Amino acid sequence: AHKGDNVGIWISEDGTVRAPHGAALVNRGSELRGLVGNFVGTVELNDVRRTALTVGDRFQLKYPGYDVTATIGNTNGGDLQPGTAREGVIMTVVHPVTWYVGQQLTIMAGGQTYGTFTITEINAAVG
Protein backbone atom coordinates (compact mmCIF):
# COMPACT_ATOMS: atom_id res chain seq x y z
CA ALA A 1 0.00 0.00 0.00
CA HIS A 2 1.03 3.60 -0.51
CA LYS A 3 0.38 6.75 1.52
CA GLY A 4 -3.33 7.57 1.30
CA ASP A 5 -4.47 4.09 0.22
CA ASN A 6 -7.33 2.42 2.10
CA VAL A 7 -6.43 -1.09 3.28
CA GLY A 8 -8.05 -3.83 5.34
CA ILE A 9 -6.22 -5.01 8.47
CA TRP A 10 -6.74 -8.21 10.41
CA ILE A 11 -5.95 -7.91 14.14
CA SER A 12 -5.44 -11.34 15.70
CA GLU A 13 -4.85 -10.49 19.37
CA ASP A 14 -7.95 -10.26 21.57
CA GLY A 15 -10.09 -8.26 19.14
CA THR A 16 -10.58 -5.30 21.49
CA VAL A 17 -8.76 -2.76 19.35
CA ARG A 18 -11.11 0.09 18.50
CA ALA A 19 -10.13 2.54 15.81
CA PRO A 20 -12.29 5.48 14.74
CA HIS A 21 -13.48 5.67 11.15
CA GLY A 22 -10.66 7.13 9.05
CA ALA A 23 -7.87 6.19 11.46
CA ALA A 24 -4.41 5.54 10.05
CA LEU A 25 -1.95 2.71 10.69
CA VAL A 26 1.56 4.16 11.01
CA ASN A 27 5.04 3.11 12.10
CA ARG A 28 5.86 3.46 15.79
CA GLY A 29 7.27 6.94 16.42
CA SER A 30 5.52 8.46 13.39
CA GLU A 31 4.32 12.05 13.74
CA LEU A 32 0.99 11.28 12.05
CA ARG A 33 -1.77 11.19 14.69
CA GLY A 34 -5.45 11.89 15.09
CA LEU A 35 -5.78 15.65 15.23
CA VAL A 36 -8.57 17.97 16.27
CA GLY A 37 -7.99 21.52 15.22
CA ASN A 38 -7.06 23.69 12.31
CA PHE A 39 -5.80 22.75 8.87
CA VAL A 40 -4.42 25.36 6.47
CA GLY A 41 -4.63 24.74 2.77
CA THR A 42 -5.55 25.76 -0.72
CA VAL A 43 -9.24 25.85 -1.65
CA GLU A 44 -10.21 25.45 -5.31
CA LEU A 45 -13.93 25.99 -5.89
CA ASN A 46 -15.86 24.90 -8.96
CA ASP A 47 -18.84 26.83 -10.38
CA VAL A 48 -21.57 24.60 -8.83
CA ARG A 49 -22.16 26.76 -5.76
CA ARG A 50 -23.98 30.02 -6.48
CA THR A 51 -22.91 31.92 -3.36
CA ALA A 52 -19.51 32.54 -1.81
CA LEU A 53 -18.09 30.53 1.10
CA THR A 54 -17.55 32.72 4.17
CA VAL A 55 -16.06 32.40 7.66
CA GLY A 56 -18.28 30.11 9.74
CA ASP A 57 -19.72 28.12 6.81
CA ARG A 58 -19.95 24.36 7.55
CA PHE A 59 -19.64 21.49 5.09
CA GLN A 60 -18.11 18.04 4.71
CA LEU A 61 -14.48 17.37 3.83
CA LYS A 62 -14.52 13.94 2.15
CA TYR A 63 -11.77 11.45 1.52
CA PRO A 64 -12.27 7.88 0.31
CA GLY A 65 -13.66 5.92 3.24
CA TYR A 66 -14.58 8.74 5.58
CA ASP A 67 -15.67 12.36 5.92
CA VAL A 68 -15.71 15.00 8.64
CA THR A 69 -17.63 18.22 9.22
CA ALA A 70 -15.44 21.30 8.88
CA THR A 71 -15.95 25.02 9.40
CA ILE A 72 -14.09 27.81 7.63
CA GLY A 73 -12.02 29.57 10.32
CA ASN A 74 -10.29 32.17 8.14
CA THR A 75 -10.58 32.78 4.39
CA ASN A 76 -7.27 34.68 4.14
CA GLY A 77 -8.76 37.65 2.31
CA GLY A 78 -12.54 37.84 2.04
CA ASP A 79 -15.25 35.49 0.82
CA LEU A 80 -14.36 32.53 -1.41
CA GLN A 81 -16.17 33.05 -4.70
CA PRO A 82 -17.28 30.14 -6.93
CA GLY A 83 -14.78 29.28 -9.67
CA THR A 84 -11.77 30.63 -7.77
CA ALA A 85 -8.80 29.31 -5.80
CA ARG A 86 -7.12 30.69 -2.68
CA GLU A 87 -4.15 29.62 -0.56
CA GLY A 88 -3.92 29.98 3.22
CA VAL A 89 -7.54 29.14 4.04
CA ILE A 90 -8.06 27.68 7.55
CA MET A 91 -10.53 24.83 8.08
CA THR A 92 -11.46 23.78 11.62
CA VAL A 93 -12.54 20.21 12.46
CA VAL A 94 -13.92 18.99 15.80
CA HIS A 95 -13.42 15.22 15.46
CA PRO A 96 -9.96 13.60 15.35
CA VAL A 97 -8.75 12.96 11.82
CA THR A 98 -5.51 11.51 10.46
CA TRP A 99 -4.65 13.78 7.58
CA TYR A 100 -1.26 14.77 6.25
CA VAL A 101 0.31 17.74 4.47
CA GLY A 102 -0.33 17.42 0.73
CA GLN A 103 -3.57 15.47 1.12
CA GLN A 104 -6.44 16.58 -1.13
CA LEU A 105 -10.02 16.46 0.22
CA THR A 106 -13.33 17.07 -1.53
CA ILE A 107 -15.54 19.93 -0.24
CA MET A 108 -19.23 18.88 -0.22
CA ALA A 109 -22.53 20.16 1.16
CA GLY A 110 -26.11 19.15 0.45
CA GLY A 111 -24.98 16.35 -1.87
CA GLN A 112 -23.08 18.80 -4.11
CA THR A 113 -19.33 18.86 -4.72
CA TYR A 114 -18.03 22.43 -4.42
CA GLY A 115 -14.30 21.91 -4.90
CA THR A 116 -11.16 20.67 -3.20
CA PHE A 117 -9.08 21.50 -0.14
CA THR A 118 -5.38 20.62 -0.24
CA ILE A 119 -3.67 20.63 3.17
CA THR A 120 -0.47 22.71 3.44
CA GLU A 121 -0.17 23.05 7.25
CA ILE A 122 -1.63 21.33 10.32
CA ASN A 123 -2.84 22.92 13.59
CA ALA A 124 -2.36 26.58 12.72
CA ALA A 125 -3.80 29.44 14.75
CA VAL A 126 -7.15 30.86 13.67
CA GLY A 127 -7.13 34.62 13.28
Side-chain angles (χ1 to χ4, degrees):
H2 300 281
K3 180 169 75 171
D5 288 349
N6 288 322
V7 297
I9 299 169
W10 179 48
I11 301 172
S12 64
E13 290 292 320
D14 62 4
T16 61
V17 175
R18 289 186 175 86
H21 195 59
L25 181 67
V26 297
N27 289 332
R28 186 171 284 158
S30 172
E31 300 218 12
L32 180 66
R33 60 194 184 281
L35 298 170
V36 173
N38 305 311
F39 296 81
V40 177
T42 301
V43 170
E44 295 181 39
L45 296 177
N46 58 30
D47 291 327
V48 171
R49 186 177 173 103
R50 295 176 192 216
T51 59
L53 290 176
T54 61
V55 172
D57 282 353
R58 293 175 59 117
F59 45 83
Q60 298 294 311
L61 290 176
K62 294 192 168 282
Y63 189 71
Y66 64 95
D67 62 292
V68 65
T69 301
T71 304
I72 297 178
N74 186 333
T75 60
N76 192 27
D79 295 348
L80 299 165
Q81 299 298 326
T84 63
R86 183 169 308 149
E87 296 178 357
V89 175
I90 297 177
M91 299 289 184
T92 302
V93 298
V94 296
H95 299 290
V97 293
T98 49
W99 292 340
Y100 54 87
V101 171
Q103 186 169 9
Q104 189 174 66
L105 305 156
T106 302
I107 300 170
M108 294 189 74
Q112 296 287 322
T113 298
Y114 292 136
T116 59
F117 178 67
T118 304
I119 297 171
T120 58
E121 185 182 334
I122 296 174
N123 275 349
V126 174

